[in-house]
Amino acid sequence: MKKWLMVILSVVLLAGCGSEDSKEDNSDSLEKVSVVLDWTPNTNHTGLYVAKEKGYFEEQGLDVEIVMPGEAGADQIVASGKSEFGVGYQEGVTQARVQDVPLVSIAAVIQHNTSGFASPVDKGIKTPKDFEGKTYGGFGSPVEKEIMSALMKQDGADINKVNIVNMGDTDFFTAVKRDIDFAWIYYGWTGIEAELRGEELNMVYLTDYSDKLDYYTPVLTTSEKMISDEPEKVESFIAAASKGYEFAIENPGEAADILIEAEPDLDAELVKKSQEWLADKYQDDAPRWGEQKKEVWENYGDWMFNNGLIEKKLDAEKAFTNEFLPE
């Protein structure tokens, strides 16, 4: 569930009450903003689709367009100001911050990291040591190789013995039957799809090797400029998004239906099963949806620095904020 396909979604204005003229007047009064996804639509994004369909964005005075990232990636698009908001990852924000890119995480979509390196059981990959001699299918991000290398070092293994190829937009199940042995996935989507297919996976979760890898992924992002120049707009966006995710937590079936209706090419059974699996993981043990902890940012930033993944220590307080979350 990362970045990479280029399809611009059409803008669907939520209908108000009254005459056509009043609808036009209402839409004209809304502020147009966009949120760029990290990957093709999936259940990590359901709260955004709910907020759009249920009129939560409109209640906040926003006309929100949901956009695909393209080759540039959501982080770059948001940091450059070409989109006001985006879906990103703590690892990406961390790398951006240490390179003085003004990206800020404004909400955690999911509280705990459910990602890991997945492979069909017949590949025999149960630990990072087993990566040796195998082919990894990646997406071209430098952090992939570095995190894999760090895990392998803990297991006394050598990253140079892994063949790394770019999967492009090939799906996991096609790739592992064709030319790769393992890939980095989110269990809440690809893992659930494997269950539905009856295909058993071995998972090497990042959190199995360090609690410092229990970072926020994905997150909602914006730029420092947006926070400085238009804090009310950021607050409005997060208020609506929060309401959308809270709805998905309480009503996973209906939330899934909303995503399916908006994106009819998705596998409806997968969306429903994934939504059910994610419902209690969005907020999990946090006091409210979206809440982020400084120690989570510091722990992961320190882990990256100590493993040579970033060139300087992260200033965690500038990387995230909870100030726009509803009380």
Side-chain angles (χ1 to χ4, degrees):
M1 295 175 173
K2 292 200 180 245
K3 32 192 196 284
W4 297 281
L5 297 177
M6 183 64 180
V7 180
I8 302 298
L9 302 178
S10 59
V11 180
V12 181
L13 295 178
L14 298 168
C17 298
S19 68
E20 290 301 315
D21 288 341
S22 67
K23 288 180 183 179
E24 290 177 6
D25 291 341
N26 185 48
S27 65
D28 288 343
S29 69
L30 300 177
E31 291 192 79
K32 294 182 182 295
V33 300
S34 63
V35 54
V36 58
L37 304 183
D38 55 325
W39 183 230
T40 49
N42 55 70
T43 47
N44 280 351
H45 311 133
T46 304
L48 301 174
Y49 283 87
V50 169
K52 186 175 178 72
E53 172 63 24
K54 288 287 186 181
Y56 302 155
F57 285 129
E58 187 175 4
E59 289 171 2
Q60 294 292 331
L62 300 177
D63 173 13
V64 175
E65 180 184 13
I66 300 174
V67 179
M68 299 304 298
E71 294 183 2
D75 288 352
Q76 295 92 327
I77 293 171
V78 174
S80 68
K82 293 179 181 177
S83 182
E84 289 85 354
F85 305 100
V87 180
Y89 313 89
Q90 185 173 333
E91 62 265 44
V93 175
T94 298
Q95 288 187 313
R97 295 302 315 187
V98 299
Q99 295 169 8
D100 299 319
V101 176
L103 195 66
V104 182
S105 173
I106 49 178
V109 173
I110 299 171
Q111 275 296 309
H112 296 285
N113 188 356
T114 64
S115 73
F117 296 104
S119 60
V121 292
D122 61 8
K123 303 287 187 180
I125 302 172
K126 297 180 179 180
T127 70
K129 176 69 174 175
D130 297 326
F131 295 168
E132 291 187 342
K134 300 297 195 299
T135 297
Y136 170 74
F139 302 96
S141 171
V143 75
E144 293 176 271
K145 181 177 180 180
E146 298 302 334
I147 284 189
M148 190 169 18
S149 175
L151 295 188
M152 292 181 73
K153 285 178 182 177
Q154 290 188 45
D155 212 22
D158 183 0
I159 186 65
N160 294 316
K161 295 181 180 179
V162 180
N163 179 33
I164 299 175
V165 300
N166 196 321
M167 285 173 59
D169 59 2
T170 305
D171 76 274
F172 172 81
F173 299 97
T174 299
V176 293
K177 287 181 173 63
R178 191 177 66 189
D179 55 6
I180 75 160
D181 298 305
F182 68 110
W184 194 351
I185 71 165
Y186 284 91
Y187 194 85
W189 187 257
T190 307
I192 297 299
E193 184 175 0
E195 291 182 12
L196 292 173
R197 288 168 171 257
E199 298 185 23
E200 190 177 353
L201 300 181
N202 283 332
M203 287 291 299
V204 176
Y205 289 101
L206 273 61
T207 52
D208 288 343
Y209 290 84
S210 174
D211 57 5
K212 291 186 176 182
L213 295 180
D214 191 13
Y215 54 82
Y216 300 118
T217 178
V219 297
L220 299 184
T221 63
T222 192
S223 65
E224 286 184 354
K225 182 173 174 58
M226 276 293 297
I227 290 174
S228 173
D229 295 352
E230 302 185 82
E232 297 86 359
K233 190 177 291 185
V234 179
E235 184 173 8
S236 296
F237 177 83
I238 288 298
S242 177
K243 194 171 180 180
Y245 280 101
E246 287 169 355
F247 181 93
I249 291 168
E250 297 296 327
N251 307 279
E254 187 176 347
D257 288 338
I258 289 172
L259 179 58
I260 293 164
E261 183 175 357
E263 300 292 339
D265 289 340
L266 293 175
D267 182 319
E269 185 180 14
L270 172 57
V271 171
K272 288 179 178 294
K273 290 291 186 182
S274 174
Q275 200 66 65
E276 182 180 341
W277 189 86
L278 273 178
D280 63 355
K281 293 176 175 60
Y282 287 127
Q283 181 173 336
D284 206 284
D285 53 1
R288 54 183 170 172
W289 175 84
E291 183 97 8
Q292 301 173 82
K293 296 178 181 178
K294 182 181 177 182
E295 56 263 36
V296 173
W297 282 87
E298 288 178 334
N299 283 343
Y300 183 58
D302 288 347
W303 188 91
M304 292 187 79
F305 179 76
N306 292 334
N307 283 277
L309 307 183
I310 52 177
E311 59 272 20
K312 63 181 180 181
K313 288 212 168 193
L314 172 71
D315 185 346
E317 291 187 349
K318 292 183 177 179
F320 82 99
T321 180
N322 290 317
E323 69 174 298
F324 299 105
L325 293 173
E327 293 296 333

